[in-house]
């Protein structure tokens, strides 16, 4: 098979332009999404607060569930607690 890569560096400029164009497009999309989210919060603050509270509860619940499934115990610095002696 013939090598199709250019050894003169001609493809490098096109690659950099493509990367720059992609980054610019991504920045524009993210900026538009942030603007839309901010405007939605301004128009519907109660709904936004409810969504944020729900998301926080979901994260908290997931963290709690993960600790319960793993069986983590609170560190007591090697000391026995009353809860440990009742077992």
């Amino acid at each position: 098979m013939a090598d199709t890569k250019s050894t003169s560096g001609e493809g490098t400029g096109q690659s950099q332009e493509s990367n720059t164009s992609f980054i610019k497009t991504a920045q524009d999309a993210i900026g538009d999404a942030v603007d839309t989210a901010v405007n939605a919060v301004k128009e519907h603050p109660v709904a936004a607060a409810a969504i944020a509270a729900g998301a926080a509860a979901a994260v908290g619940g997931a963290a709690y569930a993960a600790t319960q499934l793993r069986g983590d115990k609170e560190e007591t610095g090697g000391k026995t607690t009353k809860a440990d002696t009742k077992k």
Side-chain angles (χ1 to χ4, degrees), residues 1 10 12-13 41 70 73 77 82:
M1 293 183 104
E10 293 172 4
T12 305
V41 169
R70 286 190 356 201
K73 296 182 180 178
K82 288 183 183 180

Side-chain angles (χ1 to χ4, degrees), residues 10-21:
E10 293 172 4
T12 305
Q14 291 174 347
S15 177
Q16 288 176 347
E17 288 175 16
S18 175
N19 289 341
T20 302
S21 174

Side-chain angles (χ1 to χ4, degrees), residues 5-6 27 34 36 38 40 42 46 49 72:
K5 292 184 181 180
S6 174
Q27 287 175 336
V34 169
T36 302
V38 168
K42 287 179 181 178
V46 175
D72 286 351

